[in-house]
Amino acid sequence: MLNALPPAFAPASPPAAPPIVRPTWAFVLSHPAHFIALGAGSGLSRVAPGTAGTLWAWAAFVVLQPFMSDLGWATLIGVGTLVGWWACTVTAQHMRVADSGHIVWDEVVAFWLVLWLVTPAGFWGQLAAFALFRFFDAVKFGPMAWADQTFKGFGPRGGFGILLDDFAAAGCTLLVIALWTY
């Protein structure tokens, strides 16, 4: 190759930017995927952002519930999962963190599924569902650990993994509630 420059004269590649470990409101508002993945800002919480995202999901569920049919919830959760897959993938890439705790859309859509399926549970039933969901999401054993460890990365596989461990936590939550109820 006659046009190749010797290594000493080749342009240096720019240094890799450091990961974003503490996203800001400017980051949330800089891209629609960030806004979605960070739960409209609920993932910015300095303490337990996953819990903050789950509380946001609960509040949104309570506000939306009077206007939603079963078909509406199924559609919202289905579309929310697909859009969330994209948003979580893009946001993880932009943050340069494979599964940041600040990405909370996974908690949002998985907890909506739990609340929808335990309806018509009252406040105490929803609180029990919240506690169980947070327990399974935080402890990450069994199916949650498998999902969390198997699907890592910065492409679509990683975005899917961000969502999958929370859906596994939702499944375990619903299983415990079903066993307790029947």
Side-chain angles (χ1 to χ4, degrees):
M1 294 180 48
L2 298 174
N3 294 337
L5 294 173
F9 299 103
S13 59
I20 298 172
V21 293
R22 299 257 334 122
T24 63
W25 275 106
F27 181 79
V28 170
L29 299 174
S30 69
H31 193 286
H34 303 170
F35 186 80
I36 294 164
L38 298 174
S42 63
L44 295 179
S45 175
R46 291 182 177 265
V47 179
T51 300
T54 308
L55 287 170
W56 184 90
W58 192 1
F61 181 87
V62 169
V63 169
L64 292 173
Q65 179 60 20
F67 308 104
M68 298 288 278
S69 65
D70 283 341
L71 179 60
W73 278 115
T75 302
L76 179 62
I77 292 166
V79 171
T81 299
L82 294 175
V83 171
W85 185 355
W86 164 78
C88 291
T89 300
V90 168
T91 302
Q93 290 170 346
H94 291 177
M95 291 180 75
R96 293 171 297 284
V97 177
D99 188 359
S100 170
H102 296 283
I103 295 176
V104 298
W105 185 254
D106 48 337
E107 279 88 4
V108 172
V109 72
F111 194 56
W112 279 349
L113 177 65
V114 169
L115 291 173
W116 173 47
L117 294 178
V118 301
T119 297
F123 173 79
W124 295 110
Q126 291 178 5
L127 181 62
F130 173 84
L132 283 168
F133 177 76
R134 290 308 308 143
F135 169 76
F136 286 121
D137 187 34
V139 174
K140 293 204 188 315
F141 63 89
M144 288 71 63
W146 173 83
D148 192 52
Q149 295 164 4
T150 304
F151 295 92
K152 287 286 184 190
F154 290 99
R157 179 181 176 90
F160 179 73
I162 291 171
L163 292 163
L164 186 60
D165 70 308
D166 288 270
F167 278 113
C172 290
T173 300
L174 291 166
L175 180 62
V176 169
I177 290 170
L179 291 172
W180 181 264
T181 305
Y182 300 104

